[in-house]
């Protein structure tokens, strides 16, 4: 079980069908060899959503030091160790999971395999500087569901 040679955009169709018809795909790109970014908009909600899927090889993740607006905590997804990160910033709201597929085979090497799935929300349009910048909320339950979809493609 690992991520070498896997395509982070491979589960795009399943992700889009989970989000439903209210969201229209406006962009899909690779921002690295193992990172896929999907940009969607929901005009009815005035919301732009970004789904990021990334595969990585590095040391065990730690939640970090939480602040009032950015939090990280350990959790499990489908029995795998994960770190959930959430942010409640004015311009964007996000929830994401970094799931450890396989621990490092050598504790001195950075070869643990991770799948990260992030979901962030921003306001679709800000007309002027006096307009409210507040981003619509994002669902961690949806981020978990998308994480499970991506995990099914790499297991």
């Amino acid at each position: 079980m690992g991520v070498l040679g896997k395509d982070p955009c491979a589960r795009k169709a399943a992700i889009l069908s989970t989000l439903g018809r209210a969201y229209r795909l406006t962009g899909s790109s690779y921002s690295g060899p193992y990172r896929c970014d999907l940009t969607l908009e929901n005009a009815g909600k005035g919301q732009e959503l970004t789904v990021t899927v990334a595969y990585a090889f590095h040391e065990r993740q730690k939640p970090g030091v939480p602040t009032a607006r950015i939090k990280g905590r350990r959790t499990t997804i489908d029995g795998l160790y994960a770190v959930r990160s959430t942010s409640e910033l004015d311009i964007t709201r996000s929830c994401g999971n970094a799931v450890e597929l396989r621990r490092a085979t050598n504790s001195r090497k950075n070869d643990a395999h991770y799948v990260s799935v992030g979901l962030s929300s921003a306001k679709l349009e800000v007309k002027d500087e006096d307009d409210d910048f507040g981003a619509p909320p994002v669902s961690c339950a949806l981020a978990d569901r998308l994480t499970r979809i991506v995990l099914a493609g790499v297991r």
Side-chain angles (χ1 to χ4, degrees):
M1 172 170 51
V3 296
L4 282 174
K6 305 278 175 137
D7 178 3
C9 278
R11 305 290 289 173
K12 179 168 76 173
I15 289 170
L16 295 174
S17 71
T18 298
L19 292 171
R21 292 184 194 188
Y23 287 93
R24 182 177 66 89
L25 182 66
T26 58
S28 175
S29 65
Y30 290 91
S31 54
Y34 286 103
R35 181 179 165 133
C36 175
D37 297 301
L38 305 174
T39 306
L40 305 106
E41 68 176 46
N42 182 327
K45 286 185 173 181
Q47 179 183 38
E48 180 179 86
L49 228 112
T50 303
V51 178
T52 301
V53 177
Y55 300 155
F57 322 94
H58 46 71
E59 294 177 4
R60 188 175 180 89
Q61 298 291 293
K62 294 180 184 174
V65 178
T67 67
R69 294 182 166 214
I70 300 172
K71 295 177 176 49
R73 70 177 179 88
R74 292 181 180 156
T75 186
T76 58
I77 295 181
D78 291 348
L80 298 170
Y81 171 83
V83 172
R84 168 173 292 146
S85 301
T86 57
S87 72
E88 295 289 327
L89 303 173
D90 292 336
I91 285 184
T92 185
R93 309 253 191 270
S94 68
C95 185
N97 299 301
V99 182
E100 184 179 271
L101 283 178
R102 184 174 77 201
R103 283 191 175 194
T105 53
N106 178 338
S107 62
R108 290 187 224 160
K109 294 195 175 202
N110 300 338
D111 66 347
H113 289 212
Y114 287 89
V115 169
S116 296
V117 178
L119 182 63
S120 63
S121 170
K123 195 167 187 175
L124 188 58
E125 185 178 350
V126 177
K127 293 183 171 101
D128 61 45
E129 63 185 50
D130 295 329
D131 202 2
D132 177 25
F133 283 89
V138 68
S139 166
C140 283
L142 179 57
D144 290 350
R145 202 166 30 184
L146 298 177
T147 301
R148 286 184 177 91
I149 288 169
V150 173
L151 284 173
V154 294
R155 286 180 142 178

